[in-house]
Amino acid sequence: MIIVMRPKTVQSEIEKIKRKMKSLGCEIHESKGQNYHLLGLVGDTSKIDPNQIQANRNVEKLIFVQEPYKKVNRLFHPEDTCISVNDRTIGGDGFSIIAGPCSVESEEQIVGIAKEIKEIGASFLRGGAYKPRTSPYSFQGLMDEGLDLLKTARRETGLPIVTELMSPYLIEKFVEDVDVIQIGARNMQNFDLLKEVGKTNKPILLKRGMSATIEELLMAAEYIMSEGNERIILCERGIRTFEKYTRNTLDISAIPIIKKLSHLPVIVDPSHAAGLWWLVEPLAKAAVAVGADGLMIEVHNDPANALCDGQQSIKPEKLRSLVSSIKDIAKLVGKEIK
Amino acid sequence: MIIVMRPKTVQSEIEKIKRKMKSLGCEIHESKGQNYHLLGLVGDTSKIDPNQIQANRNVEKLIFVQEPYKKVNRLFHPEDTCISVNDRTIGGDGFSIIAGPCSVESEEQIVGIAKEIKEIGASFLRGGAYKPRTSPYSFQGLMDEGLDLLKTARRETGLPIVTELMSPYLIEKFVEDVDVIQIGARNMQNFDLLKEVGKTNKPILLKRGMSATIEELLMAAEYIMSEGNERIILCERGIRTFEKYTRNTLDISAIPIIKKLSHLPVIVDPSHAAGLWWLVEPLAKAAVAVGADGLMIEVHNDPANALCDGQQSIKPEKLRSLVSSIKDIAKLVGKEIK
Amino acid sequence: MIIVMRPKTVQSEIEKIKRKMKSLGCEIHESKGQNYHLLGLVGDTSKIDPNQIQANRNVEKLIFVQEPYKKVNRLFHPEDTCISVNDRTIGGDGFSIIAGPCSVESEEQIVGIAKEIKEIGASFLRGGAYKPRTSPYSFQGLMDEGLDLLKTARRETGLPIVTELMSPYLIEKFVEDVDVIQIGARNMQNFDLLKEVGKTNKPILLKRGMSATIEELLMAAEYIMSEGNERIILCERGIRTFEKYTRNTLDISAIPIIKKLSHLPVIVDPSHAAGLWWLVEPLAKAAVAVGADGLMIEVHNDPANALCDGQQSIKPEKLRSLVSSIKDIAKLVGKEIK
Amino acid sequence: MIIVMRPKTVQSEIEKIKRKMKSLGCEIHESKGQNYHLLGLVGDTSKIDPNQIQANRNVEKLIFVQEPYKKVNRLFHPEDTCISVNDRTIGGDGFSIIAGPCSVESEEQIVGIAKEIKEIGASFLRGGAYKPRTSPYSFQGLMDEGLDLLKTARRETGLPIVTELMSPYLIEKFVEDVDVIQIGARNMQNFDLLKEVGKTNKPILLKRGMSATIEELLMAAEYIMSEGNERIILCERGIRTFEKYTRNTLDISAIPIIKKLSHLPVIVDPSHAAGLWWLVEPLAKAAVAVGADGLMIEVHNDPANALCDGQQSIKPEKLRSLVSSIKDIAKLVGKEIK
């Protein structure tokens, strides 16, 4: 941490800060330029609250050198983390496809889709039971019944199920029924929920908030890990920008950056990123080529009658061509779909 | 709602959509241009799910003419709504000042600040008991003890208390203890929490999410209102942009826009918008001049030792000069501080 | 400038950089933490090209302590700069109103508007002769004829004229004919044009680019000043964000920030910021209250028949009520309309 | 074009607009809903200026159905356009690599790099002679001498040269000396320059502005085409967002979108998009996989001593591994590097 003092700060004020920092156990490296006076803090800075320093009226700004996250940081954990879910693994040299409808709608629908995507090569079934919707007047999901139908689909196909948790009231139910608990983009900084799922031992699929920086995504993962749960899969799903042709802008660079900063696996959701079904395949190819560990794709047998997000869902037959077109790209980057 | 068909769609597909829309009770106004074919839907479109239409591969896009919110819409409720809290009112020709520290830290601190801000002219006391922090390693608030201290401060000063609710587990406690329940920016689309507070009869201070559009803020308010609670105060607190000098960019235009679109009162939080204490006063002046119904300001007796957000907190003496400088601007725009 | 070395860089590489920096005349303050090794450069760093340092594969990042602008920097020029134009002054305790139509359309139009706005209290006439339009099929301005008509309006009213320069070919003409040369938002980083106007001695109205940071705006002004022309008026006119209700988002905080960082005067263009005529007055009030040195407002006698930007233009009668409503706010912040 | 009238507009005002639109040759399809009254304009709307309609105080908003660009629109030109440059072609089933240093620095440097990249498989040499730099104090390029050195490199290698034009004064020189004229991101809406290069018959490499929408990029191309020059190559180079880890955010979705909307070829510049050399290769792979027609990559023999942008330049040996890794991905998407 480097403290930049306001120009013309009197020496006595600088000494005051120095004394305080020293009393907190830091060593100080001072550097005096023509206009600015810098104090570099070395040692265990963990007891120092940056807010207190920034609040000092003689401090111009505070510069952070070290990343604020620890447990997710690759610096302290150089090997890739792989997450085991039942007999599957996410991360490493495998490439995982999570597919399924936006919402679970009926047994026929979810079981039918599950069978098709399994046969095509997906290894996880996704489907919304409790749905976060922008409007209170939109379909909110089948709720408990939806969860039961997902379990039926799992029984019929063996595919582990991934579904979104919105309320802490349902955590016990999810721990019992679900294989991977998804935290949605809108709840990425619902710190209360992060802490709660951090206390479970379930794999967590953590989606990047639509205006969250990469650092904030990693800090959200740090929240979960700091409670003890280290089984986290990160998911890039598009960020909010000025461009309005797509619903969000897929931040493809986030994949190699997260790989550099953290040891956690990271997948891409091209369906939500674009919001347009015809963009799913090209973005999926880009995601594989750039080095992602998997894809999360919305698949619906009848998009035009889907109860939500039909415009971004693809049909199973389209998933088949997508999987076939990414298979060889995956190989070229040292991954295998499994 | 207007459906724009993809160029060169065959007539039979257009007829299919028309039949479906008619079966849902809509009248259709057709308009055929050189390249595009439009279907305007008139009548009760509430049963139509836009997702289903957009998912149709022959539909180029869907254009919404009417706002998606109803209960918050000024179109159906032309008069300003005023929210009564104990013997105070937010909205109308009054201008309310909500002030207090980021976090409640001790009885001495919160009671001391409460007395000072009351004497200066604030009519509500704010203070965080449960704190949303980006890092799990930052101070998370005094929690229950913080809430108790806020109650003590209220007892001593008579100021109603405003504090943030993060977890549905605490709703009953908040309904009992708190005067205005704050929903923070990061939870603006925590739909579960919105529904829960919508079932209470407490005034809700709803902060705009840092990347939420004005329409999304109004839809979040609609969530609360659709559950029965119509006592909502909206709060602009800055949005996330590319500009990094300030923590967020205060969207000052949002105030007159919200006033036009909705009947709900709207206040401004210049402390969080800027993240810099020396910007609080000029932004507060701008907020008054533009027509806001109030301000929410972070005040701390000792910012340099505040446990959070010290760099954006001002001292009581600074609040005094701020109040004195906005008092006359308020009068010029037909408002009175009370 | 602080160099942060990549973790685990070998000492010999660090020594290499140190030698290079010393050879360029810098003193080095070293600071070695647990994971990072920092090199603080002190002295005349002006001969150091940051690109070269960043390109070194052992450098993690480069941190700038000092602002990159010098001539526009208040640090080296603490007093406010006032810009004289004929017998008017922009900056200081005056508040200037620049008004007029988006495009000059006819003698009757421009002279008529000029007389009205003068009588209402504006001190400068604006009007586009050469227009930057997003579409090549939109009206591109009356060009030379437009400039002649502006001169006629100046002759009739005495109001100095402000108009946009897009091409270096026209600089001589502008220097001769125009009182204030405007550089539009889309040309804020047309460095070639900046250098050319920097060689003139005309006052320059420099508009912030729609996605330019405050620092980039100041660097654009630095370009002009570095060529010798120090008569610059900055103009905030809204930035591009995700919010689509307004054309741009007025960054009201930019005014006090620019005032802190630079000695140059800064005005606000509420017409382009919002793109909606009914937002012009509330935003103008906010601009005055926040401390701007003036306003630039689009006024048209017949907005519905304006050849451009009619939706953001106000009628002279509306300007009259606007001026009357800001007059007293200006007084409260120590400014007088002149 | 659809006109949405303000709620409660009196019928006589609606009739006035209808008469005006009819007088301009439009047919009107009217559609009256519960709250809104719509007027759909059909026929030749090219004589209608949207500004005039939007300026009418009874008009709530104007909705555009058709894209505003014509000559770049794939709707009217369904086949892909390929651009021939000397004996090379950009577009179609070829994949082009444009490589070279940010700035031309010396004969040895540029000729050396040109030879290496040619041998590796690049088919164009890029290099800046006149440089757009954020700071007036940064190296501004070798200018005329740089251009001469590029010509020398072309003579030695046969590689066509691509370099940026900033000033209209130099157009004749560029037409004579250069093979592809680059318009940089900061000049994408320098309409004056667009018109000037539109009058030449040189291939134009048009880079997307850092905050330009895809539609604005296409409108900038339309400017060039409307002057007669139809040889345009579009280039995605990252957009400005809130994420600060990278210099810009590569909008990978823009490639398939531009392919859908326009017939022009589109390439990707991963060097400027990321601003970090180690991201160039993964982003290049993503660009190939998503369907781009080529890459523009900064290559420098000695990045640590490059006079600009060293931190985003890769060495020739790194380009070799990049080309080898994208070669097979290109084949999988039906392209061949040539």
Side-chain angles (χ1 to χ4, degrees), chain C residues 101-114 299-301 306:
Chain C
C102 174
S103 299
V104 179
E105 295 169 18
S106 69
E107 181 171 333
E108 195 195 342
Q109 176 236 26
I110 193 68
V111 174
I113 293 176
V299 174
H300 199 283
N301 53 331

Side-chain angles (χ1 to χ4, degrees), chain A residues 34-269:
Chain A
Q34 233 173 323
N35 298 301
Y36 289 97
H37 197 124
L38 311 187
L39 305 177
L41 307 188
V42 179
D44 179 12
T45 57
S46 68
K47 281 176 215 133
I48 297 175
D49 188 328
N51 282 304
Q52 292 193 22
I53 301 175
Q54 283 172 300
N56 188 305
R57 270 37 174 171
N58 293 306
V59 170
E60 178 78 20
K61 60 181 164 183
L62 203 57
I63 295 168
F64 298 91
V65 177
Q66 181 122 14
E67 292 83 12
Y69 40 87
K70 297 179 205 319
K71 288 172 181 288
V72 306
N73 198 329
R74 190 180 279 275
L75 191 60
F76 310 121
H77 184 310
E79 299 80 31
D80 282 351
T81 287
C82 296
I83 310 292
S84 297
V85 187
N86 307 354
D87 55 339
R88 270 87 174 173
T89 296
I90 296 183
D93 60 0
F95 189 87
S96 307
I97 294 171
I98 303 170
C102 174
S103 298
V104 180
E105 295 169 19
S106 70
E107 180 171 334
E108 196 195 342
Q109 175 237 26
I110 193 69
V111 174
I113 294 175
K115 285 179 174 167
E116 285 205 81
I117 63 162
K118 183 188 180 183
E119 187 260 326
I120 291 165
S123 47
F124 291 84
L125 174 66
R126 57 146 289 157
Y130 308 85
K131 298 294 309 168
R133 302 303 299 275
T134 313
S135 165
Y137 310 119
S138 297
F139 173 60
Q140 309 276 316
L142 290 183
M143 317 227 176
D144 293 3
E145 193 196 334
L147 209 48
D148 286 342
L149 295 178
L150 280 171
K151 286 160 69 182
T152 305
R154 175 174 58 193
R155 224 168 22 240
E156 301 266 335
T157 59
L159 292 178
I161 54 181
V162 183
T163 195
E164 180 171 349
L165 172 70
M166 291 172 66
S167 164
Y169 290 133
L170 292 165
I171 283 189
E172 278 179 46
K173 194 176 179 54
F174 269 61
V175 166
E176 195 163 317
D177 290 351
V178 162
D179 301 295
V180 178
I181 298 177
Q182 178 178 322
I183 299 294
R186 288 178 178 76
N187 279 318
M188 193 204 86
Q189 289 194 320
N190 180 342
F191 300 119
D192 223 64
L193 194 60
L194 297 178
K195 284 182 193 169
E196 300 269 4
V197 298
K199 289 173 194 147
T200 74
N201 63 352
K202 279 281 159 180
I204 307 298
L205 179 66
L206 178 64
K207 300 191 93 175
R208 181 179 181 185
M210 72 182 86
S211 70
T213 61
I214 292 169
E215 185 172 301
E216 287 169 338
L217 170 62
L218 295 177
M219 286 308 285
E222 186 82 15
Y223 251 98
I224 298 171
M225 286 184 101
S226 72
E227 295 288 337
N229 186 352
E230 310 212 335
R231 303 170 74 196
I232 302 170
I233 304 138
L234 302 171
C235 181
E236 160 63 33
R237 43 76 74 202
I239 57 173
R240 186 160 271 191
T241 70
F242 63 82
E243 175 61 61
K244 291 288 121 156
Y245 194 90
T246 43
R247 186 189 284 188
N248 296 286
T249 297
L250 180 65
D251 182 6
I252 196 82
S253 319
I255 312 308
I257 293 169
I258 289 172
K259 287 275 173 204
K260 179 172 192 281
L261 300 178
S262 176
H263 51 88
L264 294 172
V266 55
I267 66 168
V268 168
D269 175 347

Side-chain angles (χ1 to χ4, degrees), chain D residues 135-289:
Chain D
S135 166
Y137 310 119
S138 296
F139 173 59
Q140 308 275 318
L142 290 183
M143 317 227 177
D144 293 5
E145 192 196 334
L147 210 48
D148 286 341
L149 295 178
L150 279 172
K151 286 160 71 181
T152 306
R154 175 174 56 193
R155 223 167 25 238
E156 301 268 335
T157 59
L159 292 178
I161 54 181
V162 183
T163 195
E164 179 169 351
L165 172 71
M166 291 172 67
S167 163
Y169 291 132
L170 293 165
I171 284 190
E172 277 178 49
K173 194 175 177 55
F174 269 61
V175 166
E176 196 162 317
D177 290 353
V178 162
D179 300 295
V180 178
I181 299 176
Q182 178 179 322
I183 298 294
R186 288 179 177 77
N187 279 318
M188 193 203 85
Q189 291 194 320
N190 180 342
F191 300 120
D192 223 63
L193 195 60
L194 296 179
K195 283 182 193 170
E196 300 269 5
V197 298
K199 287 172 196 148
T200 74
N201 64 352
K202 279 280 159 182
I204 307 298
L205 179 66
L206 178 65
K207 299 191 93 174
R208 181 180 181 183
M210 74 181 84
S211 70
T213 61
I214 292 170
E215 186 172 299
E216 287 168 339
L217 171 62
L218 294 176
M219 286 309 286
E222 187 82 15
Y223 251 96
I224 298 171
M225 287 185 100
S226 72
E227 296 287 337
N229 186 351
E230 310 213 335
R231 302 169 74 196
I232 302 169
I233 305 138
L234 303 171
C235 180
E236 160 64 30
R237 44 76 73 205
I239 57 172
R240 187 159 270 192
T241 70
F242 63 83
E243 175 61 60
K244 291 289 122 161
Y245 194 90
T246 43
R247 185 188 285 187
N248 297 284
T249 297
L250 179 65
D251 182 6
I252 196 82
S253 319
I255 312 307
I257 294 170
I258 290 172
K259 287 274 171 205
K260 180 173 192 278
L261 300 177
S262 176
H263 51 88
L264 294 172
V266 55
I267 67 169
V268 168
D269 176 346
S271 308
H272 281 87
L276 295 164
W277 64 270
W278 54 271
L279 277 173
V280 172
E281 183 166 329
L283 294 183
K285 288 181 188 171
V288 179

